Amino acid sequence: MKHISQLTNLAFQFGPFLFALLFTLYISRWGYKNYNQANLRCDPPASEKEINTYRLYFLGTAIFGFILVIISIIWWFNIQVSYHVFAGKIVNLREYEEITSNDLYFKSILVTKLEENLPQIRDEHFLFIQNEPFDNNQKFKIYYSKGQGKVEEFSINYSSQILVEYCVDWDENSGNNILRCLTSPQSSLFFKSAYAQEFKVKSDYESFSSTEDRIDKYLVQLLQEERTDIGQKIEALDKLSSLEDSQLKYYIEKSIYKEPMTLTLLDLSRHTDKELAYKAKKIINDRFKIDDYLVHLLLSDSKNREEAIEILFRIEKDRALQILNNIPIKMRNSWFNDLKKEIEFGEKAKILIPTGSSKGDRYYVQAKWDPKNSKVVECLTELFFRELIHNRTYEEEIKLMKGENGQRSERWVYWYSKEWALYIAQKIENCGGKAYFVGIRY
């Protein structure tokens, strides 16, 4: 029974091939053997009728076997199981960017970091296999989100190229995330930048009151907390942008959780996430006109002026000077020239650049020093050993500061806090080094 079952499975698996072999190698040969023996038999000799019967049997099996061979060849070309593959990758995804699909199989490949403290990026390799040829119009859906933010859908077409490469990018002209093809100009024949379609996602905060005397403190907290998820920050900016001009003005001018909202939005406008930075810029430049607002504060009482001066030192030099130049000449009192000199000198400038990560916004500080100045190196070694979170010994910290060639002159440090970044930058400069606020973009 087991032998019969195995033969049955072979017949089902190999189809015409098995029967072609059976007739060609066994049945036809058996028929020929009988026909030949009939011709050679002498005692008693075979009758003419018997010889003709064996001849017809042999010819029938031979012809039928030949037909089966032809059918097997046709079957081999047309009915055999084959695999067709569509493969590619989506490159330079940041820690907080998530991607999935019901159609494609994904495998994450981490990109080697140039520096230990730099954010981790990855490439998502995808694969789709089917046993029939692809249709040139065949599409695959990909779902994309930034942490806990809204889920967006991209749709890409099949490409016959060996390995297609894409990246997710922010398009300021359309105000949408797009999936951009990087492979070659040929890709335009089958793929255009796929614009995201937004899914309905439940918001984490309640609707705003129509009255101006009420501020959604949770919304302000979402924007000002460094640990807030990137996607939630984007949703919060969308909610803020949907307000009427008068209510938006009230939010930005009146609400203070950790710092003035003007300062929060200015910092977010430099964010390494292009979508987040774009939406913050639209609010403070197009809707709120922050330059005019700061001029107004500078010309107000001393308290408002102090707030405006603090913000000017957190703005790029060219823009800060432009704001000062908007003050009428007749109203430029003694404080004006002193402030302008300090801004031009640049020593007090502290322009923070938030870098997105899976745990919120990181604030990077790049420390530079003269490796030949032993006092500076020793001071910075003690500073980093004391202030950074690690499990190194002091001897290991000394070795880290020297580098492989003993001439290390820079180091990147970060934390999820603006206050810490400002604090560590001041400490670096107190040791005799130089501190620069940087963002990590890919």
Side-chain angles (χ1 to χ4, degrees):
M1 291 296 293
K2 183 178 181 181
H3 183 66
I4 295 175
S5 177
Q6 290 176 344
L7 289 175
T8 304
N9 290 333
L10 287 173
F12 181 80
Q13 183 177 359
F14 294 103
F17 271 120
L18 179 64
F19 294 105
L21 288 172
L22 180 66
F23 271 85
T24 302
L25 299 179
Y26 181 74
I27 298 179
S28 295
R29 291 182 66 184
W30 181 74
Y32 174 75
K33 179 180 178 181
N34 289 336
Y35 170 63
N36 191 44
Q37 288 177 348
N39 281 310
L40 296 176
R41 195 171 68 197
C42 297
D43 189 21
S47 65
E48 188 68 26
K49 181 178 180 182
E50 187 178 359
I51 293 174
N52 288 335
T53 300
Y54 283 123
R55 181 190 301 116
L56 291 174
Y57 179 79
F58 163 65
L59 291 175
T61 57
I63 293 171
F64 190 73
F66 179 74
I67 293 172
L68 282 175
V69 170
I70 298 298
I71 293 174
S72 298
I73 294 172
I74 297 172
W75 177 82
W76 186 80
F77 277 109
N78 297 284
I79 312 177
Q80 64 174 325
V81 177
S82 60
Y83 296 101
H84 301 267
V85 177
F86 174 47
K89 61 181 178 178
I90 302 172
V91 301
N92 294 341
L93 289 169
R94 290 157 288 190
E95 294 176 349
Y96 58 88
E97 293 180 294
E98 299 175 2
I99 196 161
T100 187
S101 173
N102 292 327
D103 300 329
L104 304 173
Y105 168 74
F106 281 102
K107 181 179 180 180
S108 298
I109 304 295
L110 300 181
V111 178
T112 303
K113 294 193 287 186
L114 298 176
E115 177 87 13
E116 179 185 0
N117 286 333
L118 296 183
Q120 179 68 63
I121 62 171
R122 73 187 190 280
D123 295 341
E124 288 283 355
H125 290 245
F126 62 79
L127 183 70
F128 185 83
I129 301 175
Q130 62 183 35
N131 56 11
E132 59 185 27
F134 286 97
D135 184 345
N136 287 332
N137 295 321
Q138 193 166 343
K139 295 183 178 182
F140 306 90
K141 291 183 179 180
I142 294 175
Y143 302 103
Y144 167 83
S145 68
K146 294 180 178 179
Q148 300 180 34
K150 63 178 180 288
V151 178
E152 299 171 282
E153 178 187 320
F154 298 115
S155 180
I156 63 175
N157 282 15
Y158 162 73
S159 166
S160 59
Q161 292 175 290
I162 296 176
L163 185 67
V164 193
E165 189 170 301
Y166 306 96
C167 74
V168 179
D169 200 5
W170 174 255
D171 181 31
E172 292 191 0
N173 294 326
S174 64
N176 288 289
N177 287 306
I178 60 173
L179 188 64
R180 193 185 303 279
C181 184
L182 304 176
T183 304
S184 71
Q186 295 177 351
S187 62
S188 61
L189 297 175
F190 65 87
F191 178 83
K192 295 183 179 179
S193 295
Y195 288 86
Q197 301 176 0
E198 183 177 339
F199 281 73
K200 293 182 179 179
V201 179
K202 184 179 180 180
S203 175
D204 289 328
Y205 39 83
E206 300 175 354
S207 301
F208 288 87
S209 171
S210 59
T211 60
E212 289 187 325
D213 61 350
R214 182 181 176 189
I215 288 179
D216 190 331
K217 295 180 180 179
Y218 182 58
L219 173 63
V220 177
Q221 183 178 349
L222 280 177
L223 291 171
Q224 294 191 346
E225 280 289 351
E226 293 89 344
R227 291 283 191 172
T228 301
D229 182 89
I230 305 301
Q232 287 182 302
K233 275 194 172 77
I234 292 173
E235 282 194 326
L237 287 174
D238 288 339
K239 194 67 176 180
L240 196 63
S241 182
S242 68
L243 300 176
E244 296 180 358
D245 289 343
S246 59
Q247 194 173 7
L248 176 64
K249 182 174 181 292
Y250 187 78
Y251 259 80
I252 297 177
E253 291 183 0
K254 302 298 181 182
S255 60
I256 296 178
Y257 171 64
K258 295 176 64 174
E259 61 185 9
M261 274 289 285
T262 48
L263 191 55
T264 301
L265 293 172
L266 281 167
D267 287 344
L268 292 178
S269 71
R270 292 184 289 271
H271 203 283
T272 57
D273 185 275
K274 293 181 180 179
E275 180 182 3
L276 200 158
Y278 170 83
K279 293 184 175 182
K281 287 177 185 176
K282 291 287 287 184
I283 292 175
I284 61 175
N285 294 334
D286 299 345
R287 295 285 308 280
F288 183 67
K289 308 294 184 184
I290 194 169
D291 291 7
D292 296 340
Y293 172 67
L294 291 176
V295 169
H296 171 72
L297 290 184
L298 289 169
L299 297 177
S300 301
D301 55 58
S302 57
K303 182 179 179 180
N304 287 331
R305 183 179 300 161
E306 288 177 4
E307 179 181 329
I309 290 173
E310 178 188 354
I311 295 173
L312 285 177
F313 287 125
R314 300 278 291 275
I315 299 177
E316 293 80 357
K317 183 198 297 186
D318 291 343
R319 184 170 189 176
L321 291 174
Q322 182 181 346
I323 293 171
L324 285 179
N325 290 333
N326 288 336
I327 296 177
I329 297 177
K330 63 180 180 179
M331 303 186 71
R332 297 177 182 180
N333 298 328
S334 57
W335 58 267
F336 178 85
N337 292 328
D338 294 338
L339 178 59
K340 187 173 183 180
K341 288 179 181 178
E342 288 180 330
I343 291 175
E344 289 176 340
F345 190 55
E347 285 293 319
K348 291 187 177 182
K350 297 177 176 62
I351 305 167
L352 301 180
I353 305 174
T355 296
S357 78
S358 59
K359 298 179 181 178
D361 289 339
R362 293 178 177 179
Y363 288 86
Y364 279 88
V365 179
Q366 183 184 23
K368 291 189 175 184
W369 64 87
D370 181 3
K372 297 179 181 179
N373 191 325
S374 58
K375 289 186 178 180
V376 173
V377 174
E378 182 180 352
C379 181
L380 290 174
T381 302
E382 293 178 357
L383 174 67
F384 294 144
F385 183 73
R386 182 180 66 251
E387 297 292 344
L388 302 182
I389 298 175
H390 61 84
N391 56 1
R392 295 183 293 272
T393 64
Y394 189 70
E395 287 71 22
E396 289 172 335
E397 192 73 40
I398 294 174
K399 184 178 179 181
L400 182 62
M401 285 294 291
K402 290 181 178 180
E404 293 182 0
N405 58 3
Q407 296 293 317
R408 184 173 187 177
S409 60
E410 66 177 7
R411 188 169 173 180
W412 303 65
V413 296
Y414 75 90
W415 193 240
Y416 304 88
S417 168
K418 294 183 182 182
E419 291 78 9
W420 185 89
L422 295 170
Y423 163 79
I424 202 70
Q426 185 62 54
K427 289 293 184 179
I428 291 170
E429 294 182 348
N430 290 345
C431 282
K434 293 288 185 181
Y436 303 91
F437 299 99
V438 293
I440 312 300
R441 292 183 172 90
Y442 293 97

